[in-house]
Amino acid sequence: EAGVAQSPRYKIIEKRQSVAFWCNPISGHATLYWYQQILGQGPKLLIQFQNNGVVDDSQLPKDRFSAERLKGVDSTLKIQPAKLEDSAVYLCASSSGASGSQETQYFGPGTRLLVL
Amino acid sequence: EDQVTQSPEALRLQEGESSSLNCSYTVSGLRGLFWYRQDPGKGPEFLFTLYSAGEEKEKERLKATLTKKESFLHITAPKPEDSATYLCAVRHFGNEKLTFGTGTRLTIIP
């Protein structure tokens, strides 16, 4: 079974530029998450989708971050304009959305963003 | 608000030297405590889920245990390939969000 795919793997931009990340979840997984992981910290949830609807975006800086999940499969996360403090790894995760053992979130390799 | 504290921040062990990593948590209505392993430059890799106090799970040289306030990840006779950052996370009822600790960076010296 293929895992969570993310691209690009690395991105370097200057502050005030825009950037977009893409995620393809595990096939059949209804729930998709975007996390931000700053160096030396644990991942922090930015936004959660259930199919193509937003479940939780309470920690998403909406003045500069946006995300969408059209057709309930792939998702994109955008930052516009980027700030220095946005330098981090952006992780995408997915889960089946069912209860019990299927609640596990599986993570992709992440996109490493450096803002100069 | 859910809180997770992991200790120690870093741990260096000789190959074969057993030890434990600690994860203390505060959550209203625990609906799962999760352990992940993260290698440099990679995303977290799922290890275990524990749901209730007294539960234990094992995988190779790793064993996770859970009490009402903390979880331990015991590593027995570790090998260099066990070197990684180990992350603990909790989820509470009514919310799918995982709240992570800052991790323990484990180094096994040959």
Side-chain angles (χ1 to χ4, degrees), chain B residues 7-72:
Chain B
S7 62
E9 288 187 10
L11 182 62
R12 291 171 63 90
L13 299 172
Q14 291 292 134
E15 183 173 359
E17 180 185 1
S18 302
S19 188
S20 297
L21 314 182
N22 177 263
C23 171
S24 297
Y25 64 90
T26 303
V27 61
S28 55
L30 182 70
R31 187 189 165 198
L33 183 140
F34 300 78
W35 282 99
Y36 285 84
R37 167 191 172 130
Q38 187 171 28
D39 292 294
K42 297 188 177 181
E45 174 188 346
F46 172 71
L47 293 173
F48 305 109
T49 308
L50 302 168
Y51 289 101
S52 57
E55 189 175 359
E56 299 182 353
K57 287 193 177 173
E58 290 187 63
K59 180 180 179 180
E60 296 180 356
R61 294 176 293 281
L62 299 176
K63 179 181 176 181
T65 63
L66 181 65
T67 73
K68 289 186 178 180
K69 293 183 178 181
E70 57 191 355
S71 176
F72 291 93

Side-chain angles (χ1 to χ4, degrees), chain B residues 67-106:
Chain B
T67 73
K68 289 186 178 180
K69 293 183 178 181
E70 57 191 355
S71 176
F72 291 93
L73 184 65
H74 307 277
I75 182 161
T76 302
K79 298 181 178 181
E81 53 262 41
D82 295 321
S83 297
T85 295
Y86 290 85
L87 295 166
C88 171
V90 297
R91 179 165 59 202
H92 66 252
F93 280 97
N95 195 319
E96 297 293 324
K97 179 181 75 173
L98 290 178
T99 299
F100 281 87
T102 54
T104 293
R105 188 173 66 254
L106 178 65

